[in-house]
């Protein structure tokens, strides 16, 4: 009986809530190795700015395969050498590429890709957000990506969260090749969801884009070409010698660490927070991504 | 009969939808004079940066009266002369003030204001958003401001949308004097709602804050004081001679123009949009504010 009591005591202690609730950042820092998935080197696009800054994008071939294949071919063909960032619109997007020049596309680039604005829900394993979404019947996470989805229609789409990268296009039916890309640098412009192809997200260096001077022309285009921010190269990580290649990991969105992170994101009770929200919107969750530890 | 038919025809024509749906921007541009309300000069805070840039904030005395009274007293007392922007955290906030210095507060400043994190719903006339909110039982607009509200509890609060200005504070029960302020420069960090006092919003020049270099210390603080962005003055518009005083107007959120704007925001059908979202989140609505036309 005495042993049983001690055991119960120990269980009680083990089950007792921690005295100081963890922050989302602390949960990510303490995540075990098996909470992470390595991002394939063919899905990592490395942009080097002429000013020395590097911006890294994770591509999403699961959602926009033809556009992502185009982007890989554009990178391998050196199409962005001499390209630049030419549009910075506050609370909206940064855009780069060759800005309507008639630079010939490398072979293997599909000039008129299909409208990859959503995909089949089938084939995705979904962790539901658990809270309402204003832009889709439901929201959640699949393969490490935030998605809006429609169980009735059987469709799923990537969402315009901060740092997400889409394909610049003219009016429909043009879908853009992937040569002109933009990244979101403000409050999520979710009305663009399902109206444009999202091909990935910035996973390193977004601040090199978001802190650029805003363009003063309509839609944030720079007035003078001299204001453009020159890009010196855009490569896939798989093109970079292994010794120098940056390796990134994304948190497994089906695992228990992510579930805990999501729960705490919606219920902040750490020191600063007096009233937990009891909810969170999809674009405030920020799926954790990190450089692979040495 | 012929006359009646003609009349019906004319009514039909008048009721026909326009061939080209208006954009939100076009609705704002075409808003009649009576859709606008002038912002009182005592509610307009004008920040001049030493680099020549101006940032203008609309104060919200309806929501945080003690903090706003403090801010007016701090401005009149010249407390921010020699202050600076000392924190820029990507996708989060820009913060300014005298950064924990022991500069004495002007008289009339309440050193420990009450926690004005929400107010009574009573006394506000609310235009409901009409779509779900993840951070409050309901969301809408009152007196030109976006709000979360709780009809059962009878409370309403301002929300951390892009450009909204809150009062820096230490851990509870500290509420901040209003001397250290921050503005949101990323996706709306709505988890802060009801945990901190919001005192207004940037209505002009937010890009002068959002494009600043990000701080590299924890929480985006600048590493060296030399990186701080000096503020040359902070005045109420009412302190500026009438001839030079900037006058701003906010759209009446109870009027038909705003209702139309809100409807279109949730249902973009203009040229670029193929699939209207059929919804919009509170912080994507952006209550229109403009400089009063000459």
């Amino acid at each position: 009986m005495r042993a049983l009591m001690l055991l119960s005591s120990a269980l009680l202690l083990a089950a007792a809530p921690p005295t100081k609730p963890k922050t989302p950042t602390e949960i990510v820092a303490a995540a075990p190795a098996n909470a992470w998935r390595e991002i394939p080197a063919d899905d990592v696009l490395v942009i080097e700015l002429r000013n020395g800054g590097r911006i890294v994008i994770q591509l999403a071939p699961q959602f926009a395969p033809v556009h992502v294949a185009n982007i890989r071919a554009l990178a391998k063909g050196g199409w962005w050498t001499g390209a630049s960032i030419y549009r910075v619109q506050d609370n909206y997007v940064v855009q780069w590429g060759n800005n309507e020049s008639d630079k010939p596309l490398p072979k293997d680039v599909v000039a008129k890709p299909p409208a990859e604005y959503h995909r089949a829900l089938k084939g995705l394993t979904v962790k539901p957000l658990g809270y309402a979404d204003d832009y889709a019947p439901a929201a959640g996470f699949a393969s490490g990506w935030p998605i809006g989805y429609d169980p009735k229609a059987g469709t799923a789409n990537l969402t315009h969260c901060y740092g997400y990268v889409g394909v610049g296009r003219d009016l429909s039916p043009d879908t853009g090749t992937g040569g002109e890309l933009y990244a979101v640098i403000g409050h999520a412009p979710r009305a663009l969801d399902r109206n444009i192809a999202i091909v990935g997200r910035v996973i390193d260096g977004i601040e090199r884009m978001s802190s650029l001077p805003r363009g003063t022309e309509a839609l944030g285009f720079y007035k003078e070409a001299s204001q453009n921010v020159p890009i010196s190269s855009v490569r896939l990580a798989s093109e970079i010698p292994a010794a120098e290649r940056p390796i990134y990991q994304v948190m497994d969105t089906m695992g228990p660490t992510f579930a805990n992170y999501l729960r705490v994101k919606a219920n902040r009770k750490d020191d600063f927070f007096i009233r937990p929200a009891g909810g969170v919107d999809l674009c405030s969750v920020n799926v954790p991504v990190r450089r692979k530890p040495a």
Side-chain angles (χ1 to χ4, degrees), chain A:
Chain A
M1 186 64 187
R2 169 97 183 130
L4 188 61
M5 279 180 68
L6 277 172
L7 184 64
S8 304
S9 247
L11 280 173
L12 271 173
L13 279 172
T19 47
K20 197 172 175 176
K22 285 215 171 95
T23 64
T25 304
E26 287 166 347
I27 290 169
V28 173
N34 68 5
W36 300 96
R37 299 286 174 267
E38 188 166 314
I39 301 175
D42 253 357
D43 292 356
V44 175
L45 193 70
V46 180
I47 301 175
E48 311 282 2
L49 300 179
R50 206 186 289 163
N51 66 21
R54 172 181 278 191
I55 296 150
V56 182
I57 291 168
Q58 178 187 6
L59 300 172
Q62 311 93 321
F63 290 87
V66 180
H67 283 92
V68 167
N70 269 6
I71 289 167
R72 289 178 182 141
L74 289 161
K76 288 180 184 167
W79 193 76
W80 284 298
T81 303
S84 64
I85 298 172
Y86 52 80
R87 177 190 180 194
V88 183
Q89 186 172 1
D90 195 64
N91 192 20
Y92 200 45
V93 297
V94 165
Q95 190 167 319
W96 66 94
N98 286 301
N99 194 11
E100 309 276 333
S101 83
D102 50 5
K103 187 168 181 172
L105 296 169
K107 74 175 175 61
D108 302 333
V109 173
V110 177
K112 294 183 188 300
E116 299 177 307
Y117 302 161
H118 59 71
R119 57 156 281 165
L121 181 56
K122 197 173 166 180
L124 295 178
T125 307
V126 179
K127 165 78 178 172
L129 172 68
Y131 304 102
D133 190 81
D134 289 317
Y135 300 91
F141 303 88
S143 308
W145 297 94
I147 59 167
Y149 60 104
D150 185 339
K152 275 190 198 163
T155 57
N157 60 274
L158 290 180
T159 53
H160 279 83
C161 298
Y162 190 88
Y164 277 65
V165 175
V167 176
R169 66 163 170 85
D170 287 329
L171 299 182
S172 173
D174 181 74
T175 60
T177 58
E180 312 303 313
L181 295 171
Y182 63 87
V184 171
I185 57 158
H187 186 71
R190 297 278 312 276
L192 293 172
D193 293 0
R194 303 186 308 135
N195 284 288
I196 207 161
I198 298 179
V199 291
R201 61 182 162 209
V202 176
I203 56 174
D204 212 345
I206 182 69
E207 72 282 1
R208 298 203 168 90
M209 289 183 161
S210 57
S211 65
L212 289 172
R214 277 43 181 161
T216 53
E217 296 295 284
L219 304 176
F221 284 85
Y222 285 132
K223 189 179 171 100
E224 310 292 345
S226 61
Q227 297 174 291
N228 292 351
V229 180
I231 290 171
S232 54
S233 74
V234 177
R235 293 171 297 173
L236 292 169
S238 53
E239 296 179 276
I240 298 175
E244 302 156 33
R245 186 183 300 164
I247 302 176
Y248 290 86
Q249 299 175 317
V250 58
M251 190 174 278
D252 173 12
T253 45
M254 293 310 294
T257 305
F258 183 77
N260 193 30
Y261 170 81
L262 176 57
R263 182 183 58 76
V264 170
K265 271 275 184 180
N267 299 282
R268 292 292 295 267
K269 287 175 188 164
D270 41 282
D271 283 347
F272 193 81
F273 289 80
I274 300 158
R275 295 187 188 85
V280 65
D281 73 291
L282 185 69
C283 286
S284 288
V285 175
N286 304 322
V287 175
V289 174
R290 67 174 187 180
R291 194 80 184 257
K292 185 182 177 181

